[in-house]
Each structure stands twice: as structure tokens, then as C-alpha cells.
Amino acid sequence: MASRKILITGGAGFIGSHVVRLMVNRYPDYHIYNLDKLTYAGNLENLRDVESKPNYTFIKADIVDGEKMQSLFQEHNFDGVIHLAAESHVDRSISNPMEFIMTNIVGTVSLLNAAKASWKNFEGKLFYHVSTDEVYGSLGEEGFFTEETKYDPHSPYSASKASSDHLVRAYHDTFGLPIKISNCSNNYGANHFPEKLIPLAIHNIKNSKPIPVYGKGENVRDWLYVEDHASAIDLIFHKGKVGDTYNIGGFNEWKNIDLIQLLCKIMDQKLGREEGTSAKLITYVKDRAGHDLRYAIDAAKLNRELGWKPSLQFEEGLEKTVDWYLSNEEWLQHVTSGDYQKYYEGQYIKR
Ligand code: NAD
Ligand code: DAU
């Protein structure tokens, strides 16, 4: 692809920062624009190592601001968009759905409108929308989500992502906008905000605080190392078929309680604690409302058509993740001060 000016939205977030880093380093002839509102989840500390690169520019903006998006597209004439900006945490979508409707749905449409208006000729242009497997709903004990699985979202978060997926496809079908979509399973790795299960558990174990496990801990998630997600996004952006959807997954299903037990074992080793110490912190708490039982992705299409597969075994990835958190004390301190305390209290202390 001859694209040179690539707009990445949400590039200061967890997955976005890994995608920005990969694109800036791997494609020195591209100019990467990272557009981010810097919500509680956006953190420029995630990008210290790339911010002075000549092919990187940060733009602080809100994707919901349609006029701003129009003027940025006019000014920079982006060749491609990788759209990751979103409100991403299911529990927050239960307590405050409107934020999710605004950013995930209205924000996506304002970007689509800006692309459609500024791209007079769609030749060589691409709008790549990054989405989630949660749009497919919940599985029972058996089966996998494929690209043909019917949408059946349950949480305000997944319903907002499902809407945005439909709208991206609608702009392709109605206006001919060149689009691609990927739906990925649960990511883990460095820079993950400690509201999500793995980094929250690492943070609490480190501080000998209870590890909150929702319900009976029997829900199943399919975990993928974040850098493997970033490499899949790169591949789909460059080699995927315009108009197509690709599922991305880790072939790596874990019951929450088994994952937490493994994490406790790794943390005991890393912290020099006696085996079994961290597991004593496991605390079963009130379940998440509408909690989806099981997600499992069939990523066969991506493997068959583009040759992608995950590079890391889960145990290895989890150990690398723990190492990152233990050696990035300052990062963790910054993101868990201030508003995080209020969030944590509302979500867990009063649960
Ligand atoms: P995140 O919450 O860590 O980061 C989101 C980023 O978007 C932040 O930098 C935030 O500041 C920015 N943002 C939020 N609202 C914005 C707005 N209105 N305008 C501009 N920027 C805004 O999220 P994440 O986990 O990195 O997820 C990134 C994308 O990947 C999301 O679209 C999410 O739905 C999708 N996804 C996430 C996972 C996962 O496991 N985390 C899995 C599959 C798909
Ligand atoms: O599947 C992809 C999705 O994965 C992404 O689209 C979302 O953006 C991302 O947040 C993630 O959603 P989940 O809800 O699966 O992730 P979370 O880390 O919040 O929860 C993982 C599982 O752990 C889930 O079954 C709920 C449970 N859980 C979570 C938290 C925060 C707990 O038991 N205790 C907790 O404290």
C-alpha cells in the first residue's frame, strides 16, 4: 500500500500505544499521527520512546468533535486510518453508558464523515476499524465465534461497538468507503490500565490487597498478547481484503479463576513469597451484571489467508507482563493515584 500519512486514533491507550510504536518503528517512510483525547485511559507515558521520532505527531482531540475531525482531515489529507479510540471497559459502560454511546458510536461516525468528505477519490485510502469479539455475545461450553457469527451484544460497551461495526460497514456498502474491520479477543501485556482483570490483579497482589473475582470465577476468556494483536493489525491493514472482517484470537481459553491461580503462582515466584501466599488474596465478589459466560475466537481465516498466528505462549506472555509491571512502578503509581481511587472504591469497596 502506498499510504504515507496514517491516522491512528486512541494511540495513547493500551493497544493503541503498541500499534503506534510498531508502525512508527517499522515504517519510517510513513508519518504516523496519533489522535487521542487523553481520557483517564490515555497516557503519553506509554509512548516516551517514540515521541521524538521524526515520523510521529501527537494530536490531542476528541473524535466526537465532528468539525475538528473535518478540519484535521482537510489539513493533513490522511491516506489511512486505524481507528482504536474508544471507551473500552465493560464495568464503566454499566455505570455510565452515555460516554460509550458518544465516543464509540458518534465518534466513529464523525471520523467516517470526515474521511468520506475529504477523500474525494477513495483510491488507495483505507478506514480500518478495530473492534472486539464481544459483539458476538456469549458462548456456551462449546463452539467458537467466526466472522459469520450473528451479532448479539449484551453490555452497553459491546452494543456500542456492535453499532460502530455496523456503521463502518454501512459507509462501505452505501458510499463505497474502503474499510476493514477486525474483532479481537482479550488482550494482555504492558501498559494495560489496572481496571482490567490482569493488571488489577497484579497491582493488588503486589500490595497484598484482595483480588476480586466476579461470581464463581467460571467465566472464560481467550487471551492474546497485545503485541500479537498489533502485528495482526499491521498485517490486516496492509494485506487484508477491503470490505472484509477478520477475527483475531489467541487460541488460548482460560477460566478466570484458573488464570488468577496461575498469576498468583508467578507473582509468588517474582516477589520471593512462599507459594500459596498470593492465592490467599482471592476474594469472590458480586458478579458483573449481564456477565458473558465464554468468548472463544476462531482465527482460522486470518491464519489461512494472511498466515498470522500468535507468537507467544500464555505462560511466557504473562511472565513478561508481570516483569513489566514490577519494573514500571512509577507508571503504575501515576495511573492509580487521583481518580482511580474513586473508581476503585465505587466498583469494589461498596460492591
Ligand atoms: P483503552 O481504554 O486502553 O484506550 C482507549 C484510548 O482511546 C485512550 O487513549 C483514550 O484516551 C482514547 N479515547 C477515548 N475516548 C476518546 C475520544 N472521544 N476521542 C479521542 N480519543 C479517545 O482501550 P484499549 O484496550 O487499548 O482498546 C483499544 C481499541 O481496541 C478499542 O476500540 C477496543 O474496543 C478494542 N479492543 C480492545 C480489546 C482489549 O482486550 N483491550 C480487545 C479487542 C478490541
Ligand atoms: O474480549 C475483548 C474485550 O476484552 C475488549 O473488547 C474489552 O475492551 C476488554 O476490556 C475486555 O473485556 P472483558 O470484560 O472480558 O475484560 P476484563 O478484564 O474487564 O474482565 C475479564 C474477565 O474477568 C471477565 O470475565 C470479568 C472478570 N473480572 C474482571 C475484573 C475487572 C473479574 O472477575 N474481576 C475483576 O475485577
Side-chain angles (χ1 to χ4, degrees), residues 88 132-134 157 186 197 212 214 221 256 288 291 348:
S88 69
T132 171
D133 61 357
E134 299 201 11
Y157 164 69
N186 286 60
L197 179 66
Y214 296 167
R221 296 292 182 266
N256 290 339
R288 172 185 279 173
H291 198 172
Y348 295 102

Side-chain angles (χ1 to χ4, degrees), residues 10-16 35-43 61-64 83-88 103 130-133 157 161 184-187 192 195-196 229:
F14 166 48
I15 302 171
L35 185 157
D36 200 296
K37 183 182 171 184
L38 298 182
T39 66
Y40 77 93
N43 185 352
D62 182 347
I63 57 167
V64 176
H83 175 37
L84 293 117
E87 287 293 335
S88 69
T103 287
V130 175
S131 193
T132 171
D133 61 357
Y157 164 69
K161 291 296 291 188
C184 187
S185 63
N186 286 60
N187 286 213
H192 206 183
E195 63 189 351
K196 310 280 169 40
H229 188 190

